[in-house]
Amino acid sequence: MVSEVFQPSTAAPRAADAVATAIDLLRFNTCGSVDDGKSTLIGRLLYDSKSLMDDQVEALERSADLTGGGRVNLANLTDGLRAEREQGITIDVAYRYFATPRRRFIVADTPGHVQYTRNMVTGASTANLSIVLVDARAGVIEQSRRHAAIAGLLRIPHLVVAVNKMDLVDWSEARFNEIRAEFEKFLPRLGIKDVKFIPLSALNGDNVVTPSPHTPWYPGPTLLAHLETVHIGSDHNLEEFRLPVQWVNRPNRPGDASLHDFRGVSGQIAGGIVRVGDKVLVLPAGVTTRVKRIHTLDGDLAEAFAPQSVTLVLEHDVDVSRGSMIVRTDALPGGGTDMRAQLCWMNPRALQRGRKLLLKHTTATTPAIVTELTHRVDLETLELREGPTEFALNDLGEVRLRTAKPVFHDGYASNRLTGSFILIDPDTHATLGAGMLHAPTETVRAEFLDYTI
């Protein structure tokens, strides 16, 4: 998080230390059909890795007779809503934090029911890794394919197929291999290169944190061991520097003479590396300047990279504000008002061509209009349905958008942060959809152009 108050410091931590801190956090989500055991799996991870506080364990034990039939119900750790506990399903996205000596984790428990696919998209949008649970008895069903397809569309680089409830099929290796073979039939179409299959029982804890004695035929790691070691350091785009400006940092401290002239530009680096002395371009002003200082909460750095939050002090006082973007001049982003994107529609009111909305991209928001619904994805067959008349709730497909101002962006495939956006209702400010931009067809033009719809 960007520090809200400028705090001068003489400390200058080594870049290697910053790298270690940046890659130490793994975000992942669990998904799958209803009753596949997603919430129980997260509860088991927290329980067996000793990540629960004493009062949480006591609360679980007290609720055992109410919802667990006398047995501790680990799903209650994430199924917080009363409606969820009564129905035994997950409705909202529940986030939990836990840590082991090797890595820190943020896990999103996302709903399995088809009605809440939009919630699954929300939970998976920031994930490094996605766990798709498959009930060993039911095998690969429509919702398994749907969630794996969404993980592929969201370009989540790592996928774990957790074949759960193996105890109910007598730990059959043949059944595990059958499910794996069925899953692998459509995996090539998703574009996910790192896929791991793990047989487990979330209820009993087999192969979750500790290896199971029931699967001598499985030579791989437990789920937690895999989560601790999966390599995510190269998942960020470190080639093309992008800094969406969050705010202009002007400390208001009349009593501190050293801060009278301080003017920095704060934000989270969305891609690439920046060093002191680098030549940068400020968009949309089109002004070129150089980086004078890189300031962080922990002190000045010689270089910084995604996803660090920094304050850049520029050599010149240029016209910059929230919504601007700072890039290096040797790697320019796309810039234009006509874009194509994959869109997940999240509102009960269907999307139709010609609808006017607000498009929020990084820290910038601009009016936009949907000019074309190109196709809709049939998530059961992964085939494209050309020329739909509308997108209903939970539909995924390609659209064409025109914005009132140029949007400085990359393709979602090369940068998940500068290649994504959300659509907002201009009247209620509710989030209506989430999208992933295609690669730009033209690079940015530096001059500011005032567009209208």
Side-chain angles (χ1 to χ4, degrees), residues 40 60 63-64 67-68 71-77:
T40 301
L60 273 179
S63 66
T67 59
R71 184 174 184 173
V72 170
N73 189 346
L74 295 170
N76 284 349
L77 284 169

Side-chain angles (χ1 to χ4, degrees), residues 46-121:
L46 297 172
Y47 191 79
D48 285 0
S49 62
K50 315 296 182 188
S51 301
L52 295 176
M53 306 295 286
D54 290 342
D55 59 336
Q56 292 176 308
V57 176
E58 292 172 2
L60 273 179
E61 293 173 349
R62 283 199 304 272
S63 66
D65 291 334
L66 298 176
T67 59
R71 184 174 184 173
V72 170
N73 189 346
L74 295 170
N76 284 349
L77 284 169
T78 53
D79 286 347
L81 300 177
R82 175 177 293 182
E84 291 177 331
R85 296 192 181 192
E86 289 176 351
Q87 299 180 56
I89 63 173
T90 302
I91 296 175
D92 202 358
V93 181
Y95 293 93
R96 294 303 299 258
Y97 169 88
F98 70 100
T100 67
R102 304 181 68 176
R103 180 168 273 175
R104 295 175 294 134
F105 302 94
I106 294 177
V107 52
D109 181 19
T110 54
H113 196 281
V114 62
Q115 180 183 352
Y116 304 109
T117 297
R118 56 180 173 171
N119 303 51
M120 184 269 171
V121 172

Side-chain angles (χ1 to χ4, degrees), residues 177-442:
N177 289 334
E178 182 183 348
I179 292 172
R180 176 172 183 157
E182 190 173 355
F183 219 98
E184 287 178 337
K185 288 180 182 176
F186 62 90
L187 273 179
R189 301 168 66 181
L190 305 182
I192 304 175
K193 297 179 181 177
D194 180 20
V195 182
K196 184 74 177 175
F197 291 84
I198 301 177
L200 53 83
S201 169
L203 185 64
N204 299 317
D206 293 88
N207 283 338
V208 178
V209 174
T210 56
S212 171
H214 304 293
T215 54
W217 43 266
Y218 171 70
T222 64
L223 177 62
L224 182 61
H226 180 68
L227 296 177
E228 286 182 323
T229 56
V230 64
H231 179 66
I232 61 171
S234 58
D235 292 348
H236 287 287
N237 182 328
L238 296 176
E239 300 294 327
E240 299 158 331
F241 174 65
R242 308 282 186 261
L243 178 70
V245 175
Q246 187 173 346
W247 66 307
V248 178
N249 193 341
R250 293 296 304 268
N252 183 20
R253 292 184 182 175
D256 191 340
S258 65
L259 301 181
H260 278 177
D261 298 325
F262 185 89
R263 183 175 187 269
V265 182
S266 300
Q268 183 180 30
I269 299 176
I273 302 171
V274 64
R275 298 179 178 86
V276 173
D278 276 355
K279 188 177 180 180
V280 294
L281 176 67
V282 180
L283 297 169
V287 178
T288 302
T289 183
R290 290 188 182 274
V291 176
K292 188 176 177 182
R293 289 176 58 190
I294 302 173
H295 183 77
T296 71
L297 181 64
D298 300 317
D300 281 10
L301 301 175
E303 65 178 20
F305 45 86
Q308 287 180 289
S309 293
V310 298
T311 296
L312 298 186
V313 179
L314 303 177
E315 198 170 79
H316 304 96
D317 287 337
V318 299
D319 179 15
V320 61
S321 61
R322 180 179 176 86
S324 300
M325 182 178 288
I326 299 177
V327 302
R328 278 181 31 163
T329 55
D330 58 352
L332 296 177
T337 59
D338 189 9
M339 298 167 291
R340 290 186 178 276
Q342 292 287 336
L343 181 71
C344 175
W345 189 246
M346 301 176 169
N347 193 265
R349 181 187 169 191
L351 172 67
Q352 295 171 329
R353 186 171 66 87
R355 187 165 177 183
K356 294 183 178 180
L357 305 156
L358 293 177
L359 184 147
K360 180 172 174 55
H361 171 261
T362 63
T363 57
T365 302
T366 181
I369 188 169
V370 178
T371 58
E372 181 182 351
L373 303 178
T374 309
H375 64 241
R376 183 174 59 82
V377 179
D378 186 331
L379 286 173
E380 185 173 357
T381 62
L382 300 184
E383 294 179 350
L384 306 181
R385 307 297 182 191
E386 301 291 338
T389 57
E390 63 180 26
F391 279 8
L393 174 66
N394 294 318
D395 272 353
L396 283 164
E398 182 180 295
V399 298
R400 189 168 185 172
L401 299 157
R402 178 169 285 275
T403 55
K405 296 179 180 178
V407 175
F408 311 114
H409 67 282
D410 299 285
Y412 187 82
S414 62
N415 191 320
R416 292 175 68 186
L417 298 177
T418 58
S420 58
F421 66 89
I422 60 172
L423 294 175
I424 302 170
D425 189 313
D427 297 322
T428 65
H429 298 283
T431 300
L432 302 178
M436 297 145 282
L437 291 163
H438 289 195
T441 56
E442 58 179 342

